[in-house]
Amino acid sequence: MSEVKYLRRVLVYIIREWKLLVTVISLTIISTFIGLLTPVLVREAVNDLASEHLKNLLLYSLGIIALTGLQGVVSFGQNYYSEYLSQKIIFRIRNELYRHLQDLSFSFYDRIDTGQIIARATGDVNNIRSFIRFFSRGLINSVIMIISALLVMLSISYELTLIALMIAPITITIVIWYGKNIRPLAEMRRQSFGELNSYLQETIVGMKVIKALTSEVFSFNRFIPKCREYFNISIRMGKLRAVVWPLISFIIGVDVLTMYWYGGMRVIEGVLTIGDLVAFTMYLNMLMWPLISLGFFTAIYQRAIVAARRIFEILDMEPEVKEKPNAVELKNVRGHIKLENVWFSYDGKHWVLKDINLEVKPGEKVAIVGPVGCGKSSLIKLIPRFYDPQRGRVLIDGIDVRDVKISSLRKNIGIVHQDIFIFPDTIRNNIAFGKPNATLQEIMKAAKIAKIHDFIVSLPKKYDTLVGERGVTLSGGQRQRLAIARALILNPKIIILDDSTSQVDVETEKEIYEALRELIKDKTCIIVTQRFSTLSLADRIVVMDEGRIVEEGTHEELLKRGRLYPKLYKTFIAPLEILTKPR
């Protein structure tokens, strides 16, 4: 997309708020013309002083004070509504961006670093805000002021005006050169800022691991180059500004001195009055500072275009998992799951799942086991449509999941992930996150089934206790039981447990699954696990290897006639039970 198209898309947001825009422009015009009247009164006052006619001096002085006060009031309204306009537009853009981020598929988050996303939702959005604010107030004010001041200056002395404008071509050339060179640096800095954010987030989240492994020096040494890159780009931008603005100030200074010399000669000759020269000087400032501000606007504009490109790149992304326009509600779910000839790849090149055929009947409990990287977790991600298979189809109660509304599909599937995320909120809100209107009785029931109720009520604030970011105030087992309660409160017909007891001891695991056995007796349950005590809940075990289903049966059947399962049991599952058994 070209630069003009990005600008047009930003302008569309501005035009939507045309009433606010008209208000800002109107106040800007009023403020500008009040400012243009002040030098007129100053000129008359100075001329009166020079001619020693002081009878109107007080009147002119009061007029100048009144105009200054009035301009202050108008400027307040101008600044307020300009800020209101920019914030309202950014509010809309940020909401659209966040809503779209929620719509994007899992694959988007596999490709884009979290830090890059945060940088776009914060820094880039603020750069667009600066552009909108300057466009609605500064740019319009500058244009009106330049035109108006120029006309008044011509009426006072066209010779002085020509002298003042001699520097215009040089100044404009410098400003254009500055804008051309600042844009690539702005883009590089935004990219570097995103990478710096990503690394900071990763290391802060993993700081406990870094400290445990005494890898602080290694982590810091990786941080330094990223920080230095951002520093170097910022310094290059600073050097550019350090060259441009003093150069422009010097050129303006020379021009002003020339104007004073020529204007002074005209005053001595009687062609101009002292008041004319003072007023002309004031109008010259009104002309020059808007010209300089246009240079600032060039930099703001370049940063905004870079930011707009990065934001619209996300807004233009189509989710890979799309809901059909005629998608139907998934109602009266029985929990019959079927995968037919399913092939799946994350990158379109390497198959993670190959010709999967699996049927899980309503109320059946199926465990999926296999070596690391065999495709277990990928398989269960297809059921709630986190991803879509490239070939084959996934059916719920005989309906292709691509034909139903995504929200209705996922409301009927309770998932407890291996990587558990606990929100920095109360325990009550964490459990009820998927069902915000849940009553305390429903929350407590889910917590009791997950065997975490007794722990919660032992806390001073009970269910209103705040947990730290990512649940750092809870143990691994407590976080997993909290996540199980969060899934259970939805009372789904299908439950997926993705190695959900990997961080609890055997005794706690038994408590959880003794309660779960009663709860899931009328539900379809898919369990990904490597622990035998968890496998005992399953009616059937499915063994996967290299993206394929290689064996199926009960634990006893697979030990007798299986090929891969006995090896898995001897080398991993059974030893794991021994290692985790309390002594």
Side-chain angles (χ1 to χ4, degrees), residues 70-83:
L70 180 60
Q71 188 173 29
V73 173
V74 175
S75 294
F76 168 80
Q78 179 189 10
N79 283 307
Y80 173 79
Y81 284 107
S82 176
E83 184 66 27

Side-chain angles (χ1 to χ4, degrees), residues 6-24:
Y6 286 126
L7 177 60
R8 284 176 181 170
R9 291 184 67 171
V10 174
L11 291 178
V12 167
Y13 285 96
I14 298 175
I15 293 170
R16 287 180 187 173
E17 303 296 336
W18 65 270
K19 290 182 180 179
L20 277 173
L21 181 61
V22 169
T23 301
V24 174

Side-chain angles (χ1 to χ4, degrees), residues 177 406 497 513 559:
W177 176 84
I406 294 175
L497 304 174
Y513 276 93
L559 282 180

Side-chain angles (χ1 to χ4, degrees), residues 363-365 491-495 519-525:
E364 188 179 13
K365 287 73 181 168
N491 193 27
K493 281 293 183 180
I494 298 170
I495 295 177
L519 178 75
I520 65 177
K521 65 181 180 181
D522 60 342
K523 292 177 172 55
T524 304
C525 186

Side-chain angles (χ1 to χ4, degrees), residues 219-260:
S219 176
F220 184 68
N221 287 339
R222 289 184 64 193
F223 174 76
I224 290 174
K226 298 180 184 298
C227 196
R228 183 180 290 118
E229 181 185 19
Y230 183 80
F231 171 81
N232 289 337
I233 296 170
S234 298
I235 291 299
R236 288 172 64 187
M237 294 178 72
K239 284 181 179 179
L240 199 60
R241 287 192 292 266
V243 170
V244 168
W245 301 121
L247 180 60
I248 290 177
S249 297
F250 173 75
I251 294 170
I252 292 174
V254 172
D255 190 59
V256 169
L257 285 173
T258 305
M259 185 270 299
Y260 274 133

Side-chain angles (χ1 to χ4, degrees), residues 396-432:
I396 302 290
D397 293 349
I399 305 172
D400 194 320
V401 294
R402 287 170 288 200
D403 294 331
V404 302
K405 292 184 178 179
I406 294 175
S407 59
S408 70
L409 171 67
R410 293 176 184 170
K411 283 179 181 177
N412 285 284
I413 301 175
I415 306 173
V416 180
H417 295 282
Q418 181 180 8
D419 182 18
I420 293 168
F421 187 89
I422 303 298
F423 296 93
D425 202 339
T426 63
I427 291 176
R428 176 175 183 166
N429 289 341
N430 264 284
I431 294 175

